[in-house]
Amino acid sequence: MTTDASDAVEIRNALLRLRRGTSLPIAFGGLMEAGQRMRISELSGTATHALRSLAVTSGTGLGGKTVALSRPCVVTDYSASRQISHEYDAPVAAEGLRSVLAVPVVVRHRVRGVLYGALRTSLPLGGRMLDVAVEAARDLERALVVRDEARTLAAEAAAGAGAGPGWEQVREAHTALRALAPRIADPELRAELLGACALLTAEPAGPPLVRLAPREVDVLACVAAGATNAVAAERLGVTPETVKGYLRSAMRKLRARTRGEAVVAARRAGWLP
């Protein structure tokens, strides 16, 4: 399993929350790959690239111990700790890390990744710092669940009767065009672009059964493409809270209980391809 661009955004957001909430100057992390190996893909506050792309095997080092035990682990002095193995001492020393905490990202009872926070001095890490790090991991877990749901929805749609060859490409094009439209200053050109978007939807005859605001459609298009709130916000140039507001409003209008139901209902109503 590789880390795609959307997952990378979610990991970076989780690392920023970890740093802000704990005041730890350094954070890094990544997701599991095939087998029992986790690869560090995102760095925040580091001074070198020594940790980038480091592959950590389950049971080895601090992160590997966290993966194996599926619980947070902490060391006060990494290189001198007798609680962990020392396969990764060289890159850790190159970054100058001493005190390090690691928390697992667990989705449906399976470790999907690890978030780390660290200091370059030897000081105890625990209590509130560990609680905040765990909460950052929980936020990432929730984001990954949404991503999984979106991928499942896309796979089901592709296997359905209406998904012929190239249909997913049509949907991706629709999402990209909807995200681009608000950035076009020329109102005529913007209207022409949105008109092209409408040609990609299977709009039913007669008046629409449900009326959605343009931004509600933009958000639903991003959700249909598998984007989480953070990724949708980045694409549309708004805040995640704004995305949540539009999504709640659209779900209410569509009488949908979940994001997936909202996408299906929007497609049936002709708002999405």
Side-chain angles (χ1 to χ4, degrees):
M1 180 181 297
T2 57
T3 303
D4 66 20
S6 299
D7 290 339
V9 170
E10 298 297 349
I11 297 170
R12 288 196 293 271
N13 288 340
L15 295 178
L16 288 175
R17 286 192 291 271
L18 189 157
R19 288 184 64 193
R20 290 169 183 162
T22 62
S23 297
L24 291 172
I26 304 154
F28 48 98
L31 299 181
M32 300 297 293
E33 296 183 324
Q36 293 295 304
R37 185 175 67 178
M38 186 274 300
R39 188 173 298 277
I40 296 173
S41 61
E42 303 301 320
L43 310 176
S44 180
T46 53
T48 74
H49 294 293
L51 299 170
R52 185 174 296 281
S53 297
L54 181 66
V56 178
T57 304
S58 177
T60 61
L62 182 67
K65 180 178 180 180
T66 296
V67 171
L69 298 179
S70 189
R71 64 173 175 80
C73 297
V74 181
V75 293
T76 302
D77 191 338
Y78 192 100
S79 62
S81 175
R82 297 183 178 181
Q83 307 301 315
I84 59 173
S85 61
H86 290 277
E87 291 84 352
Y88 314 108
D89 281 6
V92 171
E95 185 59 43
L97 305 183
R98 299 285 298 280
S99 296
V100 187
L101 61 80
V103 295
V105 178
V106 183
V107 177
R108 296 187 176 93
H109 309 292
R110 182 167 64 93
V111 176
R112 288 278 294 274
V114 177
L115 299 182
Y116 300 80
L119 288 169
R120 292 192 172 88
T121 54
S122 181
L123 292 172
L125 301 179
R128 172 163 172 72
M129 280 191 180
L130 195 56
D131 290 342
V132 171
V134 168
E135 187 54 37
R138 297 298 87 82
D139 287 343
L140 180 54
E141 290 167 6
R142 288 187 283 269
L144 292 176
V145 167
V146 171
R147 293 281 298 156
D148 289 349
E149 180 182 343
R151 286 171 178 143
T152 300
L153 179 67
E156 291 174 350
W167 193 246
E168 284 307 309
Q169 286 83 354
V170 171
R171 288 171 174 167
E172 289 173 7
H174 179 267
T175 301
L177 290 172
R178 294 281 327 183
L180 178 62
R183 305 176 192 174
I184 297 177
D186 185 331
E188 292 185 4
L189 183 57
R190 185 168 60 250
E192 186 176 343
L193 182 63
L194 290 174
C197 287
L199 294 176
L200 299 176
T201 63
E203 185 172 353
L209 300 176
V210 178
R211 293 193 177 276
L212 297 178
R215 270 313 204 190
E216 292 170 349
V217 179
D218 293 342
V219 169
L220 286 172
C222 288
V223 170
T228 60
N229 291 345
V231 174
E234 191 172 87
R235 288 181 183 174
L236 300 175
V238 298
T239 67
E241 288 302 317
T242 299
V243 168
K244 290 180 184 178
Y246 283 126
L247 184 56
R248 281 195 298 267
S249 176
M251 289 173 65
R252 184 173 63 254
K253 292 178 181 179
L254 294 166
R255 298 182 180 179
R257 294 171 296 176
T258 68
R259 298 159 66 96
E261 287 182 3
V263 169
V264 171
R267 283 176 176 156
R268 287 174 178 167
W271 289 105
L272 297 176

